[in-house]
Amino acid sequence: MSGFGVFSTREGGPRIGWRVGEHVLDLSAAGLGDVFGASVLNPFFERGRQEWEGAVSRILDAVERGAEPRFPLDEVQLHLPFDVADYVDFYSSLEHATNVGRLLRPDQEPLLPNWRWLPIGYHGRAGTVVVSGTDVVRPCGQTVPLGGGEPLFGPTRKLDVELELGFVTGVGSERRKPLRTEDFADHVFGIVLLNDWSARDIQAWEYQPLGPFLGKSFQTSIAAWVTPLVLLEDARTTAPAQVPSPLPHLADGRDWGLDIELEIQLNGEVVSTGNARTLYWTMPQQLAHQTSNGASVRAGDLAGTGAISGAAPGSEGSLLELTRNGAEPFRLRDGSERSFLEDGDRVVLTARTGTLSLGEVTGRVVPAAAA
Ligand code: CA
């Protein structure tokens, strides 16, 4: 396990560290750069790709030499590793989009006509992105009763997870200067595992015609550790073929498929295993699409891939899909059944490729009344 994170100890405030197994190396105290004395990664983002890669190489050497000081993870507090600028969330898994289309619009074609032409996305709420380990309070909202009729306001009955990867922009772009897919590694610093908590009943009532809003904006959890792109070279693979061929500005970036194994655990039990290599739209295509109208991206921008689901049963990236919107609950080892999350449930998302693990994303469900 490695990557950049922000931690504090009883003696000292937030600063940047590097995860080494179950320890964190204090990078500024180890003499690896004053920029790591900052309380967020954003000043380091501004240094650019050459410095990012140089720093990772020096850090790996220092870890090898046994550099100190290191603190056990259970003795530090972890913080959100960067100030999140804008947050967008895509919908880039063909299997996820097809499954959700079938469940929410059973009488229509599951994929809308635009889906294979562009990476569908929406703008989320940057201010409610939180670090792994933060409890999620069951949100309230408008939902339509089971038998239909007028909506009621109250706690969601369909609290769900979405297992996603997210990429973090390090170097922003200029307005009116769209980025190309091949600009990806010059602008993007790294990736994080991400849980896009979702309230399906709130989402189902509100999402047409403008897309998700309060059903998702109450909280998004990301890993405490950002994995720099340079560590992902061995995970890169060719993404699945695209039919029809995308338009020229989205045509490339197919060499950024990521062979990363994914897992959802619920109360200590694995309930889904998938792989990010199934993603239809790659991160470089998502970045190029975001700027193709002349919009700029900024340092600290976070972009989620959308829930990642595979074709095989048991590889779905959400409970909505695993339980067919609650119609096919599954049983946990303790004998209890789940359609969606119950109060007290603990969710852990993990991701690994070869010997590299990404930072995990954990969260416990707290009742609405406790808020
Ligand atoms: Ca999502």
Side-chain angles (χ1 to χ4, degrees), residues 18-29:
W18 180 264
R19 181 159 175 179
V20 186
E22 293 306 302
H23 286 74
V24 53
L25 172 65
D26 187 334
L27 292 175
S28 54

Side-chain angles (χ1 to χ4, degrees), residues 132-155:
S132 171
T134 309
D135 289 344
V136 60
V137 176
R138 182 177 298 277
C140 291
Q142 283 195 23
T143 60
V144 176
L146 273 181
E150 292 186 353
L152 301 168
F153 186 85

Side-chain angles (χ1 to χ4, degrees), residues 226-296:
V226 184
T227 304
L229 283 196
V230 68
L231 292 190
L232 295 171
E233 283 304 311
D234 290 344
R236 288 177 62 181
T237 182
T238 305
Q242 294 188 304
V243 180
S245 294
L247 295 172
H249 68 295
L250 297 175
D252 297 318
R254 307 305 297 158
D255 54 346
W256 271 98
L258 290 171
D259 185 4
I260 297 179
E261 295 167 44
L262 308 164
E263 198 170 271
I264 303 175
Q265 296 172 20
L266 178 55
N267 298 338
E269 205 166 315
V270 175
V271 297
S272 172
T273 53
N275 192 302
R277 68 186 303 158
T278 60
L279 274 177
Y280 188 88
W281 294 103
T282 64
M283 293 177 179
Q285 290 176 308
Q286 293 165 14
L287 182 68
H289 179 59
Q290 272 189 77
T291 62
S292 61
N293 64 347
S296 48

